[in-house]
Amino acid sequence: MIRDARVLRAGFVPREVEHRDAEVNHLSSVLEPITNGEPADTAIVTGPSGAGKTCISQFVTERLREEVLDVEATYVNCWRNYTRFRTLYQILDDLGATIDIHRQSTPHDELVDRLQQHDGPRTVVILDEVDQLEDPSVIYDLHSLPQFAIICIANKEEELFSRVDDRLVSRLRSSEHVRMDKYHDEQLYDILSARAKWGLDEDVITDDQLYRIADAAAGDARLAIGILRTAAGKADRENHERITDNILLDAAEDARAQIKQKSIDSLTPHQRVVYNIVRDHEPLGPSEIHDRYTEKVDDPRTKRTVRTYLSKMVQYNLVDAEGTSRDREYSLVGSEAASPMQ
């Protein structure tokens, strides 16, 4: 049943992207100067979860590398590499410049010096989930180096700007902004149809089933592809000739659970403490959450930072926020909140 499993994987970058021509052209134009050996503006790519931000950024950089010999690219997941050291180390590691760097003893400034001395090809640095950085000054480190072009990916611009100092805010505000909206059901259907065409044998899933996946995913391409992948995997393991409605129903629940668990596993230590407090004592207002949080950690972050943590968890469907900003309360997202697969 599965013709090419790569096509169904979450991180797969297709040869052609659906319904993002304007965004692809915009980002390509921002990065174009590096193809001529010139510095490029920083690009800020924003939009909700599952809008294709990462896919588009990697698609554009891959096309650049196909067209120009002296262009490289490196990808950093800032949710995983949330400290300044980890981010700088990841970039240098991709450049092959970490042989004598010791994770425990090498100072940050040494890593920045290494990047300043980099004399290889111009490099596009994709900072995914950049609003997760505990120390956003790493953006400033890179911004000042003309041999690097930066793509900053975040859900919302304001959450990125709220965490950086004034010297960087002005630079980021003058950067090129590529904004993405949620996909419509028809657009998600087209994305799923293309994945099914290249990844599955013919006639194993119907157009009606693809439309139902699109509807259940509610604009989130990551979830839609996850449902398709989970359903195909289950049908293949059980030796079905096609994906049945029952398999699809189970796949929708499983895909949501997998994405939720992956998001929980990706939380930083401080975010995990906040999440556990909401889980154990819901519903709670932000002040009470912060009070409980400060009792549990040695180096507590500010109320503003904890509110950013909570906002991030709302965006990733881990917690719900009810009420206005003055009387807001947070609780865990219940399974009943998930869109049913009818």
Side-chain angles (χ1 to χ4, degrees):
M1 177 179 291
I2 298 175
R3 181 185 302 168
D4 187 347
R6 295 172 302 171
V7 176
L8 303 177
R9 291 186 182 129
F12 177 75
V13 180
R15 292 293 306 171
E16 300 293 336
V17 295
E18 305 280 342
H19 302 291
R20 288 291 188 238
D21 287 350
E23 292 85 352
V24 166
N25 290 339
H26 186 181
L27 188 55
S28 297
S29 69
V30 177
L31 297 177
E32 187 177 9
I34 71 169
T35 65
N36 301 316
E38 300 171 1
D41 286 337
T42 294
I44 299 177
V45 181
T46 58
S49 176
K53 303 182 296 295
T54 304
C55 179
I56 295 306
S57 299
Q58 293 181 320
F59 174 83
V60 170
T61 53
E62 282 301 304
R63 295 297 84 77
L64 275 178
R65 294 185 65 219
E66 286 179 5
E67 293 172 13
V68 183
L69 192 60
D70 290 332
V71 172
E72 291 296 339
T74 177
Y75 171 85
V76 182
N77 183 330
C78 299
W79 207 331
R80 189 175 300 120
N81 301 286
Y82 53 87
T83 66
R84 184 181 177 212
F85 184 94
R86 284 193 192 183
T87 300
L88 293 171
Y89 185 93
Q90 179 65 57
I91 295 167
L92 285 167
D93 196 42
D94 286 347
L95 296 173
T98 56
I99 294 172
D100 56 346
I101 290 177
H102 302 286
R103 285 179 177 270
Q104 305 302 325
S105 58
T106 304
H108 292 73
D109 289 347
E110 168 68 17
L111 302 186
V112 176
D113 288 344
R114 293 277 181 102
L115 288 173
Q116 287 175 335
Q117 294 163 15
H118 175 65
D119 59 356
R122 290 188 179 270
T123 302
V124 180
V125 178
I126 300 175
L127 298 177
D128 203 354
E129 306 281 0
V130 69
D131 49 339
Q132 283 290 103
L133 288 172
E134 287 190 346
D135 183 359
S137 65
V138 68
I139 307 172
Y140 191 83
D141 294 335
L142 294 168
H143 205 285
S144 61
L145 302 176
Q147 62 267 50
F148 296 98
I150 314 166
I151 301 175
C152 294
I153 302 176
N155 291 92
K156 296 181 178 180
E157 290 171 11
E158 56 266 30
E159 289 182 2
L160 171 58
F161 294 154
S162 70
R163 304 193 55 238
V164 300
D165 60 26
D166 292 342
R167 63 178 181 166
L168 188 54
V169 166
S170 59
R171 292 192 179 192
L172 290 178
R173 288 197 185 281
S174 63
S175 300
E176 288 287 337
H177 294 240
V178 181
R179 298 176 177 91
M180 298 190 188
D181 297 322
K182 262 189 171 185
Y183 287 109
H184 303 305
D185 285 359
E186 288 284 344
Q187 294 172 328
L188 274 186
Y189 165 79
D190 290 341
I191 291 170
L192 290 168
S193 183
R195 298 287 173 117
K197 176 183 177 182
W198 296 111
L200 302 176
D201 287 340
E202 286 187 42
D203 301 325
V204 300
I205 190 166
T206 67
D207 285 349
D208 180 63
Q209 288 174 320
L210 292 176
Y211 273 115
R212 281 155 53 202
I213 295 175
D215 180 57
D220 186 337
R222 181 179 60 156
L223 175 56
I225 294 167
I227 295 172
L228 179 62
R229 178 178 63 252
T230 304
K234 183 176 175 64
D236 195 54
R237 287 192 304 274
E238 297 178 358
N239 295 316
H240 291 274
E241 292 184 359
R242 59 177 304 279
I243 295 171
T244 66
D245 289 346
N246 285 337
I247 288 175
L248 210 56
L249 190 66
D250 291 341
E253 281 187 36
D254 291 347
R256 285 193 191 90
Q258 289 167 16
I259 288 173
K260 181 176 181 179
Q261 190 57 52
K262 187 175 180 181
S263 296
I264 292 171
D265 292 343
S266 297
L267 295 174
T268 67
H270 283 260
Q271 289 172 331
R272 190 61 179 261
V273 171
V274 172
Y275 176 82
N276 289 343
I277 288 169
V278 175
R279 181 195 63 195
D280 296 340
H281 304 284
E282 60 180 343
L284 288 177
S287 292
E288 188 175 355
I289 291 171
H290 188 264
D291 290 344
R292 290 179 180 272
Y293 158 77
T294 55
E295 293 172 0
K296 290 181 177 291
V297 297
D298 295 330
D299 182 23
R301 307 299 190 251
T302 63
K303 283 187 176 181
R304 185 179 194 176
T305 298
V306 170
R307 283 198 300 270
T308 301
Y309 292 166
L310 291 163
S311 176
K312 193 77 174 175
M313 293 178 210
V314 170
Q315 292 161 20
Y316 278 83
N317 208 34
L318 295 178
V319 302
D320 275 329
E322 296 289 339
T324 63
S325 57
R326 187 168 296 178
D327 61 354
R328 182 163 296 161
E329 288 189 327
Y330 294 90
S331 56
L332 288 198
V333 171
S335 58
E336 69 277 4
S339 303
M341 176 77 73
Q342 299 294 338

